[in-house]
Amino acid sequence: MIHCLKFIKKKFLILKKRNRLKRIINREANLQVIIGAGGTSHDGWVSTDLPQFNVIKEKDWEYYFTTNKPIRLLAEHVLEHLTVEQVERSLYTAYHYLKHEGVFRIAVPDAFHKNDEYLNAVRPGGWDAGAKDHKTFWNIETLKSIGLKTGFTVIPLEYFDEKHIFHMTDYNDLNGYIKRSKKNSYIDQNVQDYTSLIIDLVKT
């Protein structure tokens, strides 16, 4: 009986938080959403996380974004926690709910990185915090391919190529601030030369 009451209370609290999040989303004139925020927040952006919003559930997208579509989405080190199939499904859904010319900025660990220490830390099952739950390891070619497949125009921002040469375009934080980036001089105390593979997916 006690276990049942705790379960009901938990479900009620989740529903309450979902309703509150939906009200916040609906009052934003130019909606910008952080997916898998993990406690982070940026001015002008709405932070979302599990269990209120699950990026792989189309019903969650429908619930939050049917009446107010986002102009920008941001996912920093989120997609590596999903399978390839889950990422593909999430990107198809994101494309549907983004406004025309909306941007989905994505940052993930870079499988073409030149540093073996970095690769061993962030690969699925690696020793860095959270890597035990990593299910995919993206490089510029595979991430670009899935972006194009799901209908987006792909704009690479920071990445290593297949020859392990680093590239970075001149971009700003308008479409989303990426903490773990070369641009923002991120320093990891455990891994030298830490960078992310960063792209913008544009709905055109």
Side-chain angles (χ1 to χ4, degrees):
M1 182 67 177
I2 293 175
H3 176 74
C4 183
L5 289 174
K6 286 183 177 179
F7 177 78
I8 292 171
K9 183 178 180 181
K10 182 179 179 181
K11 296 291 285 185
F12 174 77
L13 290 175
I14 291 174
L15 180 60
K16 186 177 180 181
K17 288 180 179 179
R18 280 172 62 88
N19 290 337
R20 180 177 178 273
L21 177 59
K22 187 173 183 178
R23 288 196 299 271
I24 292 171
I25 285 171
N26 283 340
R27 69 176 182 232
E28 292 292 320
N30 292 295
L31 181 60
Q32 305 179 115
V33 179
I34 304 173
I35 296 170
T40 63
S41 62
H42 305 312
D43 288 343
W45 290 75
V46 177
S47 296
T48 68
D49 218 329
L50 292 170
Q52 285 73 45
F53 176 61
N54 189 330
V55 69
I56 68 175
K57 291 185 177 180
E58 187 170 356
K59 286 186 177 180
D60 281 8
W61 288 86
E62 181 182 4
Y63 176 74
Y64 288 114
F65 304 125
T66 295
T67 57
N68 191 17
K69 292 186 175 182
I71 189 65
R72 295 184 183 93
L73 298 168
L74 173 65
E76 179 176 353
H77 286 233
V78 174
L79 299 191
E80 67 271 20
H81 294 276
L82 308 178
T83 66
V84 173
E85 293 76 16
Q86 287 172 333
V87 170
E88 183 175 325
R89 187 164 71 247
S90 298
L91 292 184
Y92 272 121
T93 310
Y95 186 92
H96 175 74
Y97 283 97
L98 262 175
K99 287 184 177 179
H100 179 64
E101 296 186 346
V103 179
F104 191 172
R105 177 163 290 178
I106 294 168
V108 291
D110 193 338
F112 279 162
H113 201 286
K114 66 179 180 180
N115 189 329
D116 286 339
E117 181 185 48
Y118 170 97
L119 297 174
N120 289 327
V122 302
R123 70 172 68 252
W127 56 260
D128 202 20
K132 293 290 187 294
D133 186 53
H134 290 181
K135 296 179 174 64
T136 48
F137 203 10
W138 300 92
N139 61 57
I140 185 59
E141 300 303 330
T142 55
L143 193 58
K144 182 195 237 179
S145 177
I146 203 167
L148 292 171
K149 182 179 181 181
T150 51
F152 288 97
T153 297
V154 180
I155 303 175
L157 304 177
E158 293 190 22
Y159 65 96
F160 281 88
D161 63 24
E162 65 276 8
K163 295 181 180 179
H164 311 295
I165 298 171
F166 183 72
H167 302 263
M168 182 171 74
T169 62
D170 184 18
Y171 71 99
N172 58 43
D173 294 328
L174 177 66
N175 290 324
Y177 176 86
I178 301 295
K179 177 182 178 181
R180 282 162 282 197
S181 64
K182 186 77 167 179
K183 177 185 181 300
N184 291 311
S185 303
Y186 179 70
I187 297 175
D188 189 299
Q189 300 301 323
N190 300 310
V191 183
Q192 291 184 348
D193 302 321
Y194 197 107
T195 62
S196 298
L197 162 55
I198 307 171
I199 65 171
D200 279 350
L201 301 180
V202 184
K203 180 177 178 178
T204 54

